[in-house]
Amino acid sequence: TIQIIALTIGILTATSSYGQRKVYSILPPPGFERVETDAYGTFMRSLPLKRAGTPVKLYDGRVKGYQDGAYSVIDMEIGTQDLQQCADAVMRLRAEYLWHSNLYDKIHFNFTNGMRVDYSKWAQGYRIRVSGNNTSWYKSTAEDYSYQTFRKYMDQIFMYAGTASLSQELVPVSADDLKIGDIFIVGGHPGHAMVIVDIAEDRFGNKAILVAQSYMPAQDIHIVTNLNNRQTTPWYIINHKTKHISFPEFYFTMDQIKRFK
């Protein structure tokens, strides 16, 4: 039995399980059943999707030029600046789960200069002074744990973090031990990152995964199409023989998978 949660988030548009289509509405390939998961996995499966056929849009409202790689758009605002790109989308989804679970102390990311930036300190009214590659905290305002303050925190993270810093925060995982929320990532400038938002399995132990991404410039988070197998799309089938996966806009090997600690 898959636990379904209703996300009542102001900016992350969601409805009850009777309303808007969610990730779990995408049926696994024949012979596959969704695996049991934890609260984070349930959150990912419950992400709301925009109406079928909705194009991926950029941060400024323009339609992304390349649409063939997108299967379904996650219904989440991305702001109006070119900030929430690939690694940022991965961090956003993780932080959204933690914030709505009131796990504020677990929300923290590193800037590319190595500075750890905790949301709880930000919510206590501290802000960050940036001077070249040097950063430091200073007291600026009153304590505020509102969603609006959380989003401002995330925008600050997006400005000064990326695949290079995120890849250093994560731990490697074996492809045999995949979980929802695991991340395909190549750290670099720019590098790339994509996140698993659902997993199903068949009786032989083969796995089917749904993978989501943002890209450059900042754009809607979207579940990618499987251009290699139209019969199973958007699911990607993997097993112990799988050495690499070619997604629509990036290529990963199976040893480039990591997880939040």
Side-chain angles (χ1 to χ4, degrees):
T1 301
I2 300 171
Q3 179 187 4
I4 303 303
I5 57 175
L7 304 176
T8 54
I9 306 169
I11 298 183
L12 172 56
T13 306
T15 66
S16 71
S17 57
Y18 299 102
Q20 186 170 10
R21 201 166 60 103
K22 308 289 180 68
V23 169
Y24 61 73
S25 302
I26 303 173
L27 297 180
F32 285 78
E33 293 186 1
R34 283 182 160 92
V35 299
E36 293 293 326
T37 189
D38 55 16
Y40 184 39
T42 300
F43 174 87
M44 297 288 256
R45 280 179 172 157
S46 301
L47 289 169
L49 303 175
K50 292 186 177 181
R51 185 174 302 173
T54 301
V56 176
K57 291 186 177 181
L58 306 181
Y59 67 96
D60 57 6
R62 289 178 296 144
V63 173
K64 180 180 179 179
Y66 176 68
Q67 295 288 327
D68 290 347
Y71 181 84
S72 192
V73 177
I74 292 173
D75 195 355
M76 176 185 289
E77 60 81 29
I78 60 169
T80 58
Q81 301 179 73
D82 188 8
L83 293 177
Q84 189 175 295
Q85 300 179 0
C86 59
D88 310 303
V90 172
M91 294 185 285
R92 172 77 182 277
L93 291 175
R94 180 64 177 177
E96 287 278 354
Y97 159 69
L98 294 171
W99 191 88
H100 289 286
S101 301
N102 297 323
L103 298 172
Y104 304 135
D105 290 343
K106 293 185 179 295
I107 304 174
H108 56 81
F109 302 100
N110 294 344
F111 284 172
T112 53
N113 70 354
M115 179 183 183
R116 170 169 161 156
V117 183
D118 288 80
Y119 166 69
S120 57
K121 193 172 183 71
W122 182 277
Q124 290 165 10
Y126 290 86
R127 295 296 179 265
I128 298 172
R129 183 176 289 109
V130 179
S131 177
N133 197 43
N134 298 315
T135 50
S136 58
W137 289 105
Y138 68 95
K139 181 68 174 178
S140 173
T141 187
E143 184 175 270
D144 180 5
Y145 283 83
S146 69
Y147 187 80
Q148 182 180 22
T149 296
F150 164 76
R151 277 294 286 118
K152 290 180 179 179
Y153 163 82
M154 291 309 302
D155 279 347
Q156 186 81 3
I157 294 297
F158 299 160
M159 285 184 189
Y160 298 106
T163 56
S165 57
L166 180 60
S167 63
Q168 297 301 311
E169 296 183 55
L170 306 174
V171 294
V173 294
S174 167
D176 296 328
D177 184 38
L178 287 184
K179 293 182 179 180
I180 300 173
D182 285 348
I183 302 151
F184 290 90
I185 186 166
V186 174
H189 303 282
H192 193 44
M194 303 175 72
V195 62
I196 297 173
V197 296
D198 207 350
I199 299 178
E201 192 170 315
D202 68 8
R203 62 189 181 92
F204 303 106
N206 300 310
K207 291 183 173 64
I209 60 174
L210 289 180
V211 181
Q213 70 167 11
S214 177
Y215 213 70
M216 298 183 295
Q219 57 196 251
D220 290 326
I221 306 174
H222 54 279
I223 295 171
V224 297
T225 299
N226 186 346
L227 297 175
N228 309 311
N229 191 334
R230 293 292 187 178
Q231 293 182 326
T232 66
T233 192
W235 299 85
Y236 285 76
I237 310 300
I238 60 175
N239 55 41
H240 68 281
K241 295 181 180 180
T242 305
K243 302 301 181 184
H244 59 82
I245 300 183
S246 180
F247 295 112
E249 296 178 276
F250 211 85
Y251 172 99
F252 290 95
T253 57
M254 297 305 289
D255 60 355
Q256 293 174 323
I257 307 172
K258 294 188 175 183
R259 177 180 300 165
F260 284 104
K261 298 177 183 178

